[in-house]
């Protein structure tokens, strides 16, 4: 198995004090005999420097990667690491980043101010505690220089959190000084022996050493760090590059944050694992609201409905949901309903004996994954996958299978987007067709609506969508307050807007004369109701909002909407693709 | 840039006093380093500045303290990406070491005076044009160039097609012989194997040449065009609706020469109509009027290059008989029609006949 580039090479703890710079602990450690000294002495100038070029092609021998890693950091002796990783005090309190050839060291050097202990000494003439001599310390992670640059920020965050916790404990009970003493004593003892690394001996004696080892191991495997420094202060951290790992690809940290920004009340929460196992993973001091939410959550219900069912505020539910997504325990999807259209994801592994295939057959005996995936090759609404002659159990099983596929990002959901695009003005006119003006619509239209609907900036418009077909709003946000929707109205700008808010002009006023004429030329425009509805929905026809969004905000049934789109198809351009607002649902190929 | 020799203070700085004493004190341990770190590229960030250097140590009895340590480094803004400067620093360190070993260039009092001037030239020319020529003396000149660091592209398959990203006005003499031979064959429709046949160049050499062009962004890779292909729209299609210059570029590209310029609505409609289940042939039938003045091949090509549409590959899978039976080499769910046709020398029709008549084969589109 090829070594992951996002794995740290090593974790190192150094300190600087009255007795100079010391390397307290490093992991992984090598046997002393195997330790290679750095490039001192003569070397054949024609020899290929191993450990130099790390930018190898995929498919290279994984063994060489492993050797390279050890080589990379084992080349640095303890003393040299202590010198370079314990910086001057002026460089403390901020991100520490040092690159030496192919290794990047990232840390957060922290000063230990002796205020508390010196005050205690003054108060008590006979000091019971010994005066600490450590001035600063640094928890440093060694990464490969060519690793993903976004990794640096995250690793630095971890280093900083550890530094804060350690400093706290040092002030409280000199935890760090005690641990440092143990570590250095073990190193001195083992100094005489050959063959075994002194750090091997430190592990059973020092809790901090064991913690650092655990952090390293976890960063390399699950990407989740959750431990208690000195059995007291919690440090928790998750590395998005590992936590959101998918079978056949990866999800970038940016897609996660983007998806979190775009949560809406009509979205649903999809747990990525079993409910029971998730509950057992939660720490003991978890908020009861979170456990309640996890117990009642189902991909068929919207966050809005979950809020009502669990008796929590919508904002809180959204926050808890974001938390679960951030930690890789859940994903935000559009709730499962009959009209959803799913398609096979382009990164899905279709190999006949893929790992997913085995799991699927175990989970759903009698079915095989390839056949199921092939069914979704051509996107059709979920209702058409149902066999009308099947019994209710089989119907339910279909839903379970779709949920299973969504959890593993094997399916993507397609949405329909509408864009206003009128035909050309003149047949012989060489100019291109009209340009959409989405920014204006979007800025005016929706922000006004949302502002009207809410009083608190963080809350979202209230509504309770029940089924995919009928996303109704409890209290309609918009009203049609304009007078008779006649063709004359179109010509006038600045009148009562169809949306009712005087905050912005009639959306039709931003259209050109030509666009207005084209719209009115459509036969359906003669019908008052149709025209009124069209005008009301015009702000959404900029290609940035899918039909479900329109249905939710405007209290329109799907059938109504589709009929309208059909009638006005002469001036509209309709397309179908995945939702760009939820990139966390799609993975990029690895 | 500065260059501090034995004494722990910057000897020469260009521009003068760019580095504060404070900053230098903080980072001097990374500039004049312990012997273990010599010849390593060291980049340290401090006080909003990034320093890239390569310390050199030469041991010899003739020096006071028996060793000469020096480091010619570059100082940049902390946010700069300095990977492309690293080879420069390394090369300079190597040159200066050689010059010192041969002529005592660095330690000699008189020749040392040249250094600030050289550094000035270096700073100016690198900042202006990214390359620099430093004449040291009658027999020595240092040539330096900043090479932009790019991502290594994925391997190009023999059934994929290179297409020029722009109308390049290339000077043939700038490229190697292989590339010169294949350049005329790159038309956005020929795939690698075809180029190899027509240009009479071995396939792997073509692949290497094309990958080189891909690395420098001269070409992009698109799938083979066939009327049986299926494509689908991506969210990037929204860009076509919003960006006026992109619209212009698109319509100019896809209009058949000699015809009236295509309308945006027509282009958009065509792109939107490309969906799973619809082949390009179907599209042509359904929208014949629009396609009177639009070249569908160019339409698809432009859409692929800009990411408006993506290709849906057809992948056959033969389900094994009961249990873990033997799986077919080509029909194991990992190879698309393009690959199978190319590698087995079959036409699309021939492969289609094989798969249609076998009930055990299922088809994926992804």
């Amino acid at each position: 198995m090829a070594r992951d580039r996002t794995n740290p090479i090593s974790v190192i703890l150094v300190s600087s004090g009255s007795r100079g710079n010391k390397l307290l602990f490093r992991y992984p450690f090598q046997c002393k005999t195997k330790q290679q000294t750095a490039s001192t002495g003569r070397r054949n100038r024609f020899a290929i420097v191993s450990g130099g070029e790390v930018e190898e092609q995929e498919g290279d021998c994984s063994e060489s990667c492993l050797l390279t890693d050890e080589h990379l950091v084992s080349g640095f002796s303890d003393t040299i690491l202590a010198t370079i990783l314990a910086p001057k005090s002026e460089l403390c309190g901020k991100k520490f980043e040092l690159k030496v050839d192919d290794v990047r060291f990232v840390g957060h050097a922290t000063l230990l101010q002796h205020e508390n202990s010196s005050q205690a000494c003054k108060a008590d003439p006979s000091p019971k505690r010994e005066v600490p001599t450590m001035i600063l310390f640094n928890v440093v992670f060694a990464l490969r220089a060519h690793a993903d640059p976004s990794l640096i920020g995250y690793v630095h965050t971890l280093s900083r959190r550890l530094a804060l916790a350690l400093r706290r404990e040092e002030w409280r009970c000199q935890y760090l000084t005690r641990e440092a003493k143990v570590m250095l004593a073990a190193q001195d003892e083992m100094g005489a022996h050959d063959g075994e690394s002194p750090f091997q001996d430190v592990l059973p004696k020092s809790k901090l050493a064991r913690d650092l080892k655990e952090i390293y191991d976890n960063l390399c495997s699950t990407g989740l760090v959750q431990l208690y420094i000195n059995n007291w202060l919690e440090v928790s951290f998750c590395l998005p590059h590992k936590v959101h790992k998918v079978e056949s690809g990866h999800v970038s940290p940016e897609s996660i944050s983007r998806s979190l920004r775009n949560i809406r009340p009509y979205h649903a929460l999809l747990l990525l694992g079993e409910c029971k196992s998730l509950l057992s993973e939660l720490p003991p001091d978890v908020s009861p609201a979170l456990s309640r939410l996890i117990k009642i959550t189902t991909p068929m219900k919207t966050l809005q409905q979950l809020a009502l069912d669990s008796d929590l505020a919508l904002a809180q539910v959204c926050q808890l949901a974001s938390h679960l997504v951030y930690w890789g325990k859940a994903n935000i999807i559009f709730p499962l309903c009959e009209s959803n259209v799913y398609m096979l994801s382009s990164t899905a592994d279709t190999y006949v004996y893929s790992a997913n295939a085995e799991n699927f057959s175990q989970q759903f005996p009698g079915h095989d994954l390839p056949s199921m995936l092939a069914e979704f090759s051509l996107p059709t609404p979920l209702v058409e996958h149902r066999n009308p002659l099947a019994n209710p159990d089989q119907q339910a099983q279909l839903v379970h299978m779709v949920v299973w596929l969504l959890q593993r990002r094997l399916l993507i959901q397609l949405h329909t987007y509408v864009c206003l695009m009128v035909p050309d003005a003149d047949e012989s006119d060489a100019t291109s067709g009209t340009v959409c003006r989405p920014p204006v619509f979007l800025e005016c239209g929706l922000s006004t609506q949302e502002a009207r609907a809410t009083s608190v900036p963080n809350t979202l418009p209230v509504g309770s969508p029940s089924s995919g077909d009928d996303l109704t709003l409890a209290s309609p946000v918009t009203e049609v307050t304009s007078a008779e929707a006649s063709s004359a109205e179109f010509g006038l700008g600045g009148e009562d807007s169809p949306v009712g808010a005087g905050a912005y002009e009639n959306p039709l006023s931003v259209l050109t004369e030509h666009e207005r004429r084209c719209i009115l030329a459509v036969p359906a425009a003669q019908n008052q109701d149709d025209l009124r509805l069209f005008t009301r929905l015009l702000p959404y026809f900029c290609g940035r909002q899918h039909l479900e969004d329109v249905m939710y905000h405007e209290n329109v049934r799907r059938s109504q909407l589709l009929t309208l789109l059909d009638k006005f198809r002469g001036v509209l351009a309709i397309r179908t693709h995945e939702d760009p607002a939820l990139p966390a649902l799609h993975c990029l190929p690895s | 840039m500065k260059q501090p020799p034995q004494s722990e203070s910057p000897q020469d700085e260009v521009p003068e006093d760019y580095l504060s004493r404070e900053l230098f004190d903080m980072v001097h341990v990374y500039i004049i380093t312990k012997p273990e770190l010599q010849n390593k590229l060291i980049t340290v960030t401090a006080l909003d500045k990034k320093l890239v250097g390569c310390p050199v140590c030469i041991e010899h009895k003739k020096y006071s303290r028996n060793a000469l340590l020096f480091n010619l480094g570059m100082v940049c803004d902390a946010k700069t990406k300095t990977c492309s400067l690293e080879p420069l620093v390394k090369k300079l360190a190597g040159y200066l070491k050689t010059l010192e070993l041969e002529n005592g260039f660095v330690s000699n009092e008189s020749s040392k005076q040249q250094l600030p001037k050289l550094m000035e030239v270096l700073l100016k020319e690198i900042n202006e044009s990214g390359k620099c020529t430093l004449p040291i003396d009658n027999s020595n000149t240092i040539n330096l160039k900043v090479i932009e660091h790019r991502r290594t592209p994925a391997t190009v398959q023999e059934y994929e097609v290179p297409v020029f990203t722009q109308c390049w006005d290339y000077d043939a003499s700038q490229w190697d012989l292989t590339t010169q031979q294949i350049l005329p064959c790159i038309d956005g429709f020929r795939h690698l194997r075809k180029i190899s046949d027509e240009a009479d160049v071995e396939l792997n050499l073509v692949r290497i040449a094309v990958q080189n062009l891909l690395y420098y962004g001269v070409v992009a890779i698109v799938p083979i065009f066939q009327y049986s292909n299926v494509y689908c729209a991506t969210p990037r299609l929204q860009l076509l609706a919003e960006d006026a210059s992109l619209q212009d570029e698109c319509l100019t590209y896809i209009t058949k020469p000699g015809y009236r310029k295509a309308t945006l609505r027509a282009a958009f409609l065509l792109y939107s109509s490309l969906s799973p289940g619809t082949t390009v042939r179907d599209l042509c039938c359904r929208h014949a009027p629009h396609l009177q003045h639009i070249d569908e091949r160019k339409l698809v090509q432009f859409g692929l290059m800009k990411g408006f549409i993506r290709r849906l590959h057809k992948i056959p899978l033969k389900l094994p008989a009961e249990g873990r039976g033997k799986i077919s080499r080509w029909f194991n769910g990992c190879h698309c029609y393009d690959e199978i046709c190319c590698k087995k020398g079959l036409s699309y029709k021939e492969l289609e006949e094989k798969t249609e008549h076998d009930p055990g084969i299922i088809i994926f589109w992804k």
Side-chain angles (χ1 to χ4, degrees):
Chain A
M1 193 172 64
R3 203 163 159 79
D4 196 340
R5 278 186 191 204
T6 54
N7 285 359
I9 307 170
S10 176
V11 60
I12 303 159
L13 175 65
V14 296
S15 74
S16 173
S18 53
R19 278 187 277 163
N21 295 351
K22 295 258 186 262
L23 181 123
L24 298 175
F25 186 71
R26 70 195 280 188
Y27 185 82
F29 39 76
Q30 309 83 29
C31 295
K32 263 176 122 178
T33 45
K34 285 190 200 165
Q35 229 177 34
Q36 313 211 6
T37 49
S39 49
T40 48
R42 291 181 189 283
R43 249 206 336 233
N44 181 355
R45 64 170 73 192
F46 296 112
I48 296 171
V49 180
S50 60
E53 189 48 66
V54 183
E55 184 88 310
E56 66 265 19
Q57 289 276 0
E58 304 300 314
D60 242 5
C61 173
S62 56
E63 252 110 78
S64 62
C65 283
L66 213 54
L67 270 173
T68 311
D69 264 5
E70 280 198 7
H71 222 108
L72 282 174
V73 181
S74 67
F76 296 101
S77 68
D78 295 354
T79 26
I80 195 74
L81 282 178
T83 318
I84 60 174
L85 298 181
K88 289 271 185 319
S89 48
E90 291 88 1
L91 289 174
C92 291
K94 21 186 182 308
K95 180 161 87 169
F96 173 82
E97 197 181 324
L98 174 71
K99 187 167 133 177
V100 180
D101 269 354
D102 294 307
V103 183
R104 194 189 299 269
F105 297 99
V106 181
H108 191 87
T110 311
L111 278 172
L112 292 167
Q113 280 138 359
H114 303 286
E115 293 167 9
N116 296 351
S117 41
S118 55
Q119 278 173 6
C121 285
K122 283 180 196 159
D124 189 351
S126 57
K128 295 181 196 110
R129 305 180 198 163
E130 75 174 19
V131 180
T133 54
M134 200 188 293
I135 300 174
L136 66 86
F137 68 95
N138 199 357
V139 180
V140 179
F141 291 93
L143 308 171
R144 304 176 94 173
H146 299 278
D148 195 345
S150 62
L151 197 57
I152 301 171
Y154 288 102
V155 170
H156 169 241
T157 307
L158 175 58
S159 178
R160 202 174 42 144
R161 285 187 193 170
L162 285 167
L164 285 171
L166 285 170
R167 190 174 64 172
R168 262 285 166 81
E169 284 304 285
E170 173 65 12
W171 285 349
R172 187 174 74 87
C173 57
Q174 288 150 331
Y175 175 65
L176 197 51
T177 310
R178 277 187 282 124
E179 293 288 313
K181 232 177 137 188
V182 170
M183 289 170 176
L184 289 170
Q187 283 184 47
D188 291 335
E189 257 178 51
M190 293 297 288
H193 296 251
D194 229 4
E196 250 193 61
S197 165
F199 302 115
Q200 184 70 45
D201 207 38
V202 171
L203 277 176
K205 295 181 187 161
S206 159
K207 169 90 178 17
L208 181 57
R210 287 197 296 281
D211 284 342
L212 290 172
K213 174 178 182 302
E214 191 185 321
I215 290 172
Y216 176 82
D217 289 336
N218 282 358
L219 280 180
C220 291
S221 54
T222 60
L224 284 169
V225 170
Q226 210 157 10
L227 45 74
Y228 290 86
I229 295 288
N230 198 16
N231 291 320
W232 183 241
L233 283 181
E234 187 188 355
V235 172
S236 61
F237 171 80
C238 99
L239 189 64
H241 306 78
K242 276 257 147 62
V243 161
H244 303 286
K245 205 134 171 90
V246 184
E247 266 280 328
S248 49
H250 72 277
V251 181
S252 67
E254 297 80 42
S255 349
I256 301 291
S257 12
R258 181 125 187 257
S259 297
L260 288 178
R261 282 198 294 273
N262 292 327
I263 287 188
R264 296 279 177 274
Y266 58 72
H267 280 142
L269 194 61
L270 173 72
L271 293 180
L272 293 177
E274 288 293 306
C275 171
K276 282 201 190 81
S277 58
L278 176 55
L279 286 168
S280 62
E281 274 171 27
L282 297 173
D285 56 349
V286 72
S287 134
L290 184 61
S291 347
R292 215 185 320 160
L293 181 66
I294 293 174
K295 283 187 193 134
I296 63 159
T297 195
T298 144
M300 258 82 70
K301 284 197 182 154
T302 62
L303 293 175
Q304 191 121 48
Q305 284 166 330
L306 288 178
L308 293 171
D309 290 350
S310 64
D311 206 19
L312 296 165
L314 177 61
Q316 193 182 10
V317 169
C318 288
Q319 265 182 354
L320 292 171
S322 309
H323 193 77
L324 288 171
V325 172
Y326 180 81
W327 284 85
K329 307 292 183 203
N331 218 338
I332 297 293
I333 59 165
F334 190 80
L336 248 63
C337 53
E338 292 183 341
S339 51
N340 284 0
V341 178
Y342 293 106
M343 188 170 103
L344 184 59
S345 160
S346 58
T347 52
D349 185 2
T350 46
Y351 178 55
V352 61
Y353 288 134
S354 65
N356 275 334
E358 308 261 347
N359 293 338
F360 189 83
S361 311
Q362 282 171 3
Q363 190 87 6
F364 305 103
H367 293 89
D368 64 292
L369 184 62
S371 310
M372 192 68 197
L373 291 179
E375 262 194 52
F376 283 99
S377 277
L378 291 177
T380 45
L382 201 53
V383 65
E384 289 180 27
H385 288 275
R386 247 188 358 195
N387 181 356
L389 300 170
N391 59 44
D393 281 341
Q394 286 171 322
Q395 313 270 20
Q397 199 181 42
L398 173 67
V399 175
H400 288 308
M401 289 201 272
V402 171
V403 169
W404 193 95
L405 294 172
L406 283 172
Q407 283 172 331
R408 283 146 190 83
R409 293 182 173 92
L410 293 170
L411 292 182
I412 53 173
Q413 185 175 358
L414 299 181
H415 296 272
T416 309
Y417 295 79
V418 183
C419 218
L420 179 70
M421 206 164 278
V422 298
D424 242 10
D426 186 7
E427 281 293 295
S428 59
D429 192 348
T431 58
S432 56
T434 49
V435 180
C436 272
R437 292 170 186 74
V440 180
F441 280 152
L442 204 52
E443 248 81 281
C444 303
L446 293 184
S447 53
T448 321
Q449 285 170 12
E450 281 180 7
R452 284 184 64 219
T454 68
S455 46
V456 180
N458 276 335
T459 59
L460 300 155
V462 176
S464 50
S466 44
S467 81
D469 235 18
D470 182 14
L471 285 175
T472 55
L473 291 168
S475 52
V477 179
T478 62
E479 279 175 32
V480 178
T481 58
S482 61
E484 303 296 301
S486 63
S487 44
E489 198 179 64
F490 275 30
L492 303 166
E495 226 194 28
D496 281 354
S497 72
V499 189
Y504 71 106
E505 294 177 12
N506 186 333
L508 296 170
S509 64
V510 302
L511 297 179
T512 62
E513 191 54 44
H514 167 65
E515 282 168 335
R516 272 196 283 270
R517 261 188 282 123
C518 286
I519 293 171
L520 291 176
V522 175
Q526 304 308 315
N527 178 332
Q528 304 281 14
D529 292 327
D530 282 342
L531 189 60
R532 205 179 291 141
L533 182 60
F534 183 85
T535 318
R536 193 177 109 200
L537 299 181
L538 199 50
Y540 296 95
F541 296 160
C542 54
R544 285 178 179 270
Q545 275 151 297
H546 52 63
L547 294 187
E548 287 78 16
D549 221 8
V550 179
M551 283 159 57
Y552 179 79
H553 282 111
E554 290 295 322
N555 199 6
V556 172
R557 300 177 87 91
R558 185 182 295 270
S559 45
Q560 256 182 306
L561 192 49
L562 291 175
T563 319
L564 182 78
L565 294 177
D566 193 45
K567 286 180 182 166
F568 283 88
R569 67 179 175 280
V571 296
L572 298 171
I574 302 171
R575 62 183 200 270
T576 316
H577 53 71
E578 59 271 27
D579 189 352
L582 293 180
L585 291 178
H586 327 123
C587 58
L588 304 164
S590 49
Chain B
M1 291 180 292
K2 52 174 191 50
Q3 179 211 7
Q6 289 149 299
S7 56
E8 307 264 300
S9 65
Q11 282 281 343
D12 296 306
E13 259 184 75
V14 171
E16 297 236 333
D17 297 329
Y18 187 70
L19 279 181
S20 64
R21 181 86 208 173
E22 198 192 344
L23 176 61
F24 185 71
D25 280 340
M26 274 191 239
V27 299
H28 72 84
V29 68
Y30 304 112
I31 300 172
I32 295 297
T33 63
K34 297 264 188 309
E36 225 178 309
L37 288 178
Q38 65 150 318
N39 277 332
K40 289 192 191 291
L41 270 166
I42 301 182
T43 311
V44 60
T45 314
L47 280 192
D48 286 337
K49 297 217 182 14
K50 217 180 221 188
L51 290 88
V52 186
C54 183
V56 180
C57 171
I58 304 176
E59 288 175 17
H60 201 279
K61 282 204 215 13
K62 70 177 184 188
Y63 302 115
S64 61
R65 299 186 205 174
N66 290 330
L68 174 68
L69 296 106
F70 64 89
N71 188 346
L72 181 65
M74 303 215 180
V75 183
C76 316
D77 196 58
K79 296 206 172 48
T80 326
K81 291 235 179 297
T82 48
C83 333
S84 33
L85 288 177
E86 286 173 4
L88 238 77
V89 173
K90 202 84 198 261
K91 192 170 179 184
L92 276 169
Y95 262 115
L96 287 175
K97 185 171 183 181
T98 315
L99 283 170
E100 171 62 23
L101 287 171
E102 288 179 7
N103 307 339
F105 182 74
V106 178
S107 52
N108 189 325
E109 280 305 322
S110 54
S111 58
K112 229 201 291 200
Q113 304 305 322
Q114 289 184 33
L115 284 168
K117 249 212 200 82
L118 283 173
M119 299 202 305
E120 253 183 60
V121 172
L122 182 61
L123 181 67
K124 183 160 166 281
E125 292 193 10
I126 293 287
N127 276 336
E128 276 175 17
S129 56
K131 47 188 175 189
C132 168
T133 306
L134 294 173
I136 306 289
D137 56 31
N138 287 340
S139 41
N140 290 313
T141 318
I142 305 179
N143 294 314
L144 298 165
K145 185 170 179 189
V146 178
I147 309 272
E148 200 190 304
H149 197 64
R150 291 173 202 256
R151 293 186 64 139
T152 314
T155 316
V156 183
Q157 303 295 337
E158 60 191 76
Y159 48 86
E160 290 182 312
V161 176
V163 56
F164 286 116
T165 49
Q166 290 181 30
C167 284
W168 295 102
D169 204 8
Y170 59 84
D171 179 8
S173 60
Q174 280 183 356
W175 297 95
D176 60 274
L177 291 174
T178 312
T179 308
Q180 283 181 40
Q181 205 161 336
I182 65 166
L183 277 174
C185 297
I186 298 180
D187 64 348
F189 297 112
R190 290 191 181 94
H191 55 286
L192 283 199
R193 173 141 289 172
K194 202 163 180 189
I195 296 176
S196 161
D197 291 340
E198 289 190 9
D200 199 18
V201 177
E202 204 259 321
L203 181 65
N204 271 324
L205 289 177
V206 176
R207 194 201 305 273
I208 294 170
V210 168
Q211 270 188 249
N212 191 36
L213 293 172
L214 182 61
Y215 181 82
Y216 287 105
V218 176
V219 299
I221 300 297
V222 295
I224 299 180
F225 180 87
Q226 289 170 248
Y227 281 94
S228 54
N229 281 359
V230 173
Y231 300 91
C232 69
T234 68
R236 285 180 66 93
L237 189 51
Q238 177 64 10
L239 293 172
L240 185 63
E242 293 174 358
D243 184 341
S245 61
L246 190 60
Q247 288 166 2
D248 221 18
E249 198 188 333
C250 174
L251 297 177
T252 321
Y253 194 85
I254 66 178
T255 310
K256 281 187 190 157
Y259 281 80
R260 173 171 58 85
K261 192 164 171 188
T263 64
L264 180 64
R265 185 180 158 78
F268 213 86
L269 264 177
L270 290 170
Y271 280 127
S272 315
S273 308
L274 285 169
S275 59
T278 309
T279 63
V280 180
R281 194 176 293 118
D282 295 336
L283 184 83
C284 293
C285 296
R286 251 178 250 164
H287 296 274
H290 289 296
L291 288 168
Q292 271 183 351
H293 43 266
I294 292 181
D295 181 348
E296 61 272 10
R297 298 172 88 194
K298 288 252 158 119
L299 175 82
V300 166
Q301 204 180 66
F302 191 84
L304 286 170
M305 276 165 47
K306 297 292 176 185
F308 300 151
I309 55 175
R310 64 181 171 96
R311 170 89 189 274
L312 283 177
H313 289 277
K314 194 168 176 179
I315 300 175
L317 169 68
K318 188 173 173 94
L319 287 169
E322 285 305 316
R324 285 183 83 97
K326 193 164 101 79
I327 43 171
S328 160
R329 158 87 174 93
W330 291 109
F331 296 156
N332 63 355
C334 296
H335 306 283
C336 62
Y337 261 47
D338 283 359
E339 191 182 348
I340 301 173
C341 288
C342 204
K343 295 216 165 121
K344 291 189 80 176
L346 299 168
S347 77
Y348 179 84
K349 265 211 176 76
E350 288 165 359
L351 183 56
E352 183 76 349
E353 264 166 46
K354 268 195 166 180
T355 54
E356 290 222 314
H357 291 134
D358 191 337
I361 292 187
I362 53 177
I363 301 285
F364 298 112
W365 288 91
K366 65 166 193 181

